[in-house]
Amino acid sequence: MTADGWRPERAIVRRSAGTWTLQSTLQRHGLGPVAGVDEAGRGACAGPLVVAACVLRPADAGRFEGLTDSKLLTAAAREEFFALITRRAADHCVVVIPPTEVDRRGVHVANIEGMRRAVAGLSQRPGYVLTDGFPVRGFGAPALAVPKGDLVAACVAAASVLAKVTRDRLMVELDAELPQYGFAVHKGYCTPVHDAALAAHGPSDQHRYSFVNVAGAAAAGAERVLVHNGTSTLPEDPVTAAGGGVGS
């Protein structure tokens, strides 16, 4: 329902119609611009959560042939689409949420708030917002949760590419600072290699302590330096005395 009381006619959009059909239908009914929203790093136990919102130009469908869920694209293809999206998109915004905020809010709440911030960061308020998977309110515009949205709607797929490439680049930068964890390879996700690094080195300040495996690794480190009434239960060593232990 629009501000003047006009209700657009009912439209049926079939999944098989193509990834630009939903956006085009909304635009045709006066509900544009249409923003797609998606995130990267929700399931990772280290590194930031990255959320992106993107508005594509309706006439650009031909330029984005092959655009789909970022996880189904090769790294090289993601980089190519990232460059194309940032150059051709009508609007886009990327929000980076640090691990400390993910821990403080919880990953789901941080994700939803990141989506709101990404849409709010667009230069023009969208007429409609498409989210990937679950419903979100508070955009200041009508919104629709689209199951497997990054496979169904091109603007959601574009948002997924923006979020994924941004986060992967950040994890590669973190790998240069913290090479012992292998962030450049697993990007902070809970792989056997990452879990082995956690066991060997303990968590870093880039890990999410609200995640079970990180909390477990931190607790395992703390057990090595148990303190009762200010006295260590283990013989003092230079690292413990300096407060440099994992559990300090």
Side-chain angles (χ1 to χ4, degrees):
M1 182 77 73
T2 58
D4 60 3
W6 176 78
R7 182 188 295 273
E9 64 183 73
R10 181 178 176 83
I12 298 176
V13 179
R14 302 187 186 281
R15 182 182 295 269
S16 59
T19 59
W20 286 77
T21 304
L22 181 53
Q23 173 182 325
S24 299
T25 301
L26 291 168
Q27 294 270 173
R28 192 166 59 249
H29 284 76
L31 296 173
V34 180
V37 187
D38 204 2
E39 87 285 329
R42 181 183 174 94
C45 64
L49 174 67
V50 178
V51 185
C54 187
V55 178
L56 295 179
R57 303 175 191 275
D60 268 0
R63 295 177 181 270
F64 286 95
E65 184 177 355
L67 176 63
T68 186
D69 176 4
S70 62
K71 296 185 292 295
L72 300 180
L73 298 169
T74 65
R78 284 196 297 267
E79 288 286 347
E80 290 179 7
F81 274 121
F82 183 91
L84 181 60
I85 292 163
T86 53
R87 186 171 70 249
R88 292 293 308 178
D91 205 351
H92 70 279
C93 177
V94 178
V95 172
V96 178
I97 303 168
T100 51
E101 185 174 343
V102 173
D103 283 340
R104 186 175 71 254
R105 293 177 175 269
V107 66
H108 184 65
V109 173
N111 188 22
I112 290 175
E113 180 59 24
M115 289 181 170
R116 292 172 180 153
R117 287 162 56 187
V119 171
L122 295 172
S123 59
Q124 179 183 357
R125 192 173 85 172
Y128 216 93
V129 179
L130 303 178
T131 60
D132 183 21
F134 54 87
V136 179
R137 297 179 179 178
F139 291 127
L144 177 67
V146 183
K148 298 188 182 298
D150 41 16
L151 292 172
V152 176
C155 56
V156 179
S160 79
V161 169
L162 291 176
K164 172 70 173 167
V165 172
T166 298
R167 188 177 188 279
D168 282 358
R169 290 176 178 179
L170 291 173
M171 296 309 295
V172 170
E173 291 177 6
L174 285 176
D175 184 75
E177 300 175 17
L178 300 165
Q180 65 270 35
Y181 296 105
F183 288 148
V185 177
H186 54 66
K187 305 301 190 296
Y189 286 91
C190 306
T191 66
V193 171
H194 192 180
D195 284 340
L198 274 172
H201 305 288
S204 70
D205 60 359
Q206 295 299 322
H207 281 89
R208 303 176 186 175
Y209 285 75
S210 55
F211 279 55
V212 172
N213 62 330
V214 177
E223 288 173 1
R224 304 189 193 106
V225 190
L226 296 178
V227 176
H228 297 286
N229 298 322
T231 303
S232 173
T233 60
L234 299 177
E236 185 176 58
D237 59 71
V239 174
T240 303
V246 174
S248 62

